[in-house]
Amino acid sequence: MPNFQHTWLAVLVLAVPGALRAQGDEKVPVAVVDARGEPIPFAVVSIRSGKVHVADAKGIVRMPADSPDSLELHVRRIGYKESYGWVTPSADGRFVVELTQLAASLSAVTVTERANIPLARRGFYDRLERAQRGAVVGLFVTPEELEARPRSKLTDVMQGLKYVRVWQTRPTSGAIHKLLLGRGGCAMNIVLDGELVTGTVQEDVPSEAPTSIDFNGTRRTNAESNAQLKPDIDAIITGASVMAIEIYPSSANAPPEIIPFNGNGSCGIVAIWTGARK
């Protein structure tokens, strides 16, 4: 006697393959181009207000999709007017988003290869692609995301970012300094344009444990005691001069090329790149 229950289930599976795929991890290609149809590399793409993905050097990013029929995409790239709306697939199956270049005092971006873009020359987008594949663990703040959070101080830019906590010293006298702390409350290594930053109050924070009690009975750390002697990172670099940021919870999660040779990355690494945001 035939098993009608199994037969009926098989019919359902054959009849609605699209519905089953929609519930899985299907990804669809999104192509970001300019008015001439030329690819715009490294554009920031998100579905609705979800997770941000960054396109590759050819302007392509594969996005997870609940339905392959239409996507509500938010696309941004420095020097172009941002795009937000519903997009349907073209004949070749790609979701093509055209960005309009802004008439601003920015030099034109001619896309021939990724080496034309300063951040690409520094390996930022290569490492970002590796993180999107799960090869490394880190947070990448792109120029487009920095434009969305304009701040004059670097530590203000860092507020609320994953893997890092901005902590303020409380000296009894003198200037108040801000520090970048990783897990365990220890000071993160700060790498500026590929070089380890030294000589700051950041170096005096091995942990959050107080090191002394001053004459007022206030618990103090080394950083608070030395706050008048050394500058903090805000005194070295402004938020407006930052082009991109990479944050790694520890050296074990970071790419080898980003780990400072003479630093201790166990508390995490903040890599800061300066220059024009393009």
Side-chain angles (χ1 to χ4, degrees), residues 43 61 122 138 146 173 184 189 197 203 223 226 234 247 255 261:
V61 58
R122 297 177 177 185
L146 286 173
S173 62
N189 277 174
V197 175
E203 297 170 323
N226 296 333
D234 282 334
I247 306 174
F261 290 108

Side-chain angles (χ1 to χ4, degrees), residues 28-33 37 39 58-62 68 71 73 87-97:
V28 296
V30 175
V32 184
V33 301
K58 297 179 180 179
I60 302 293
V61 58
R62 299 192 68 86
L71 296 176
L73 297 174
V87 182
T88 56
S90 59
D92 60 4
R94 300 182 307 165
F95 290 78
V96 180
V97 179

Side-chain angles (χ1 to χ4, degrees), residues 122-177:
R122 297 177 177 185
F124 177 84
Y125 290 109
D126 283 328
R127 291 186 291 273
L128 190 153
E129 288 180 13
R130 287 151 64 187
Q132 290 184 157
R133 297 196 311 266
V136 297
V137 177
L139 175 70
F140 291 76
V141 186
T142 65
E144 290 74 23
E145 293 170 288
L146 286 173
E147 285 291 303
R149 51 164 64 203
R151 298 288 187 275
S152 59
K153 292 185 177 181
L154 173 66
T155 53
D156 291 339
V157 173
M158 304 291 292
Q159 287 281 3
L161 294 180
K162 193 176 181 181
Y163 304 131
V164 62
R165 180 161 62 93
V166 178
W167 188 68
Q168 181 173 293
T169 62
R170 298 178 295 277
T172 55
S173 62
I176 294 175
H177 286 60

Side-chain angles (χ1 to χ4, degrees), residues 21-30 47-48 62-71 95:
R21 287 196 303 270
Q23 296 174 6
D25 298 326
E26 183 180 3
K27 293 186 177 181
V28 296
V30 175
I47 297 179
R48 302 184 187 91
R62 299 192 68 86
M63 303 289 293
D66 295 331
S67 170
D69 298 327
S70 61
L71 296 176
F95 290 78

